[in-house]
Amino acid sequence: MLPRFFASTELLRSVSTLAALVALFSAVGCSKSADSQSRGGPAASVRSATVPSVLGCLPSGARVVAYAPSLASVVDDWTKRVLDGSQSPDVTSQVTRLLKNTPFAQGLAAARGEMVVGLYGIDDENPTFVGFVAGDTAPQLDALLRASLDSSTGNAVTVAGQTLSANSWAGQPVVHGVVPGGWVAGSDTAAVEYLLNNRSTPVGNELVDAWQAVATSPPRLFASITIGDVFKTAQDKEQAKMLGVDGVDRVSLALFESSSRQQDSLFIHTKAPHRGAFAAFTGKPLDRSLASKLPASLTGYTAISLDLLGAWNGFRTGLPDQFKSQLDMAEQGLKLDVGKDLLAHIGSPLSFAQFTAASGQDPVVLASIGLASRAGFKATLDKVKSMAPVPLDFSPGAGGVEFLNVPGNATAAPGVALTDDALLFCDSRAALDGLLSGTIKTGASSEVAGLFERFGGRAVAVSWVSRESLASTKNYKEVLATALSQGPKSAVSEAWGAFTWMAIVPALGDLGVAVVPEDKGLRVVLETDCGLTPVLALFSASSIEREQDQMARQSIDGLATHIRAAQERYHEQFGRFATSLWELERVKLVGADMASGIDGRLLYRVVANDTAWHLEVRHEAAALRYSVRSDGFVQAIQ
């Protein structure tokens, strides 16, 4: 079981709150860098881009920091890539609505200067934030924020000699305004004051370390999350130690751009010695020659070089004494030492390949487990043979290969083969025979070979999936939606369900992933045609719209109840329905406030004839419109 931080609310809150702040500050940036092909990609270099001085203006103790050097143009670029690549009417409609025709989109278009945001107290129910956007569009940004606040007016306050406005946003305090050089906003006056007084303060060492670890070239977007003391209970700390994640103190992210591909680089800062899950990724780098041995008709490939024995030993070391004793008893009962008898004989890599065995046929999957000792592995199989639910009998084949005897039709059944250096599994025995006999051609995969080359031969894991394979993956969204629905209801699961995410997949192009261990942690780099990090902007817009929709519906429910009762009484008196709010007020069935047609940010009116009526409602700041039937049913109008 994962520690509750990873399975529950704290990480979710930090990510979803950051997404909301990203939306508030239009937080996606663009800074052109050299093409990844020519510079070797972020992971291939140890150099770091210059740390931006604006990061020094944030008060210390930020749990989350986000920075973008130039705003808005990346969203224009990404939106174009998605619309051109997806070729989906649903995506076109929703992306256009969320990223072009909303106040959120207007904020993205207006924010074209450096941006920095700090988030504090994510363990609390109401975390605080502060941020600054540079540039001459500050008045426009301030006007857009005012349009989304709980009240159209605010109280003037003086902070660090600047006249700002104090208001609230979704019930939380906000201090904001135009200042020399840009625009500032924050939920804590003291934090805003610190930012305004310290815009030339040197950047703190922790942020410098985080930046240097991930920003190997100038990024379009940088974010860093301090894990902090999230393992609060003894149980959490025990579980974290077992998994080896107690040494993780920060996670940093950077988005890079090339002329054709986008790279998202995630750096997990860990303290040595690595144990548990992270110890597994300290194996030898993958051999580049693996690419030349792959099926020529490859559609997907993953290879991982794992130090399973080292990870297992580290895992055992971190176990409490009670669990160690239970594990020892289990191994004694099996007469099997998991480390010495099994993992010591498994080598590298573990790999999975998807390919088409013949034209017109469905893809088949080949899994391979590298063996350090074929004889040792066979000896272990002999030990457990009597306990196995199926026979573990092998028959010799050509070239020294041994095949597991599988009951049933041999050509239609899956195939399992044992070679000198690997244990092979394939869901088609015929395809496995074709690979081993050479009738299915193998050859260097340029895409996979390119991944190996771009990461300097230091990757311990690579994965590549073709655009066609991604697009043909059925029910993927449903699986993820089901998984999200199993947890607590959150903005994440609701925003996910509100968008046709799978329709974006074709715009991603071929998906490439590499994992590279480094002295101070683990780097994970993802390559796509349009980049996944900017999806945060779309996710933020979807999440904010969802929240605004929920708040609007709550207000509409109460509003509709009162007007429905008034209409029923009016119909009893006059034999028809009132055609306006003014008619209801004239006979004193509603008050002047309700007859005004304004309820906070909602504007509404009655539409009726003698026999039927409905209520039309729209949100003053957001692109939300509703039709409320006389029976109270609320329907959103796009």
Side-chain angles (χ1 to χ4, degrees), residues 147-166:
S148 65
L149 295 175
D150 297 340
S151 171
S152 58
T153 60
N155 299 318
V157 294
T158 301
V159 182
Q162 302 296 320
T163 301
L164 305 178
S165 179

Side-chain angles (χ1 to χ4, degrees), residues 47 99 216 242 310 348 352 418 421 458-459 492 530 546:
R47 293 176 298 174
L99 294 186
T216 49
M242 288 169 56
S348 178
F352 304 86
L418 191 62
D421 57 5
R458 297 184 294 118
V492 173
C530 64
R546 190 79 169 181

Side-chain angles (χ1 to χ4, degrees), residues 261-391:
R261 300 279 281 171
Q262 311 297 304
Q263 291 183 331
D264 301 81
S265 181
L266 178 73
F267 195 91
I268 304 171
H269 303 256
T270 61
K271 298 173 183 175
H274 300 311
R275 301 191 315 277
F278 289 99
F281 286 96
T282 56
K284 294 180 181 179
L286 291 166
D287 188 343
R288 303 184 193 192
S289 66
L290 287 170
S292 64
K293 303 174 183 178
L294 300 174
S297 55
L298 194 70
T299 58
Y301 178 70
T302 297
I304 309 172
S305 175
L306 296 176
D307 181 7
L308 293 177
L309 181 58
W312 173 256
N313 290 336
F315 172 73
R316 290 193 64 138
T317 301
L319 284 175
D321 291 340
Q322 177 187 355
F323 291 133
K324 285 181 183 177
S325 298
Q326 292 176 354
L327 185 57
D328 289 340
M329 291 176 62
E331 288 185 328
Q332 289 171 10
L334 293 171
K335 296 181 181 180
L336 178 75
D337 185 310
V338 173
K340 294 179 180 178
D341 295 335
L342 180 60
L343 299 181
H345 303 312
I346 294 179
S348 178
L350 305 180
S351 65
F352 304 86
Q354 184 185 57
F355 64 99
T356 53
S359 178
Q361 292 186 1
D362 291 335
V364 296
V365 175
L366 173 71
S368 172
I369 300 176
L371 296 179
S373 169
R374 176 176 178 173
F377 185 75
K378 284 284 302 277
T380 299
L381 289 181
D382 290 338
K383 280 188 177 184
V384 301
K385 184 180 293 187
S386 62
M387 296 177 286
V390 295

Side-chain angles (χ1 to χ4, degrees), residues 2 54 67 105 180 185 197 240 248 259 270 327 332 374 393-394 419 430 450 459:
L2 287 173
V54 72
Y67 166 81
N197 287 332
V248 178
S259 59
T270 61
L327 185 57
Q332 289 171 10
R374 176 176 178 173
D393 298 321
F394 285 81
T419 69

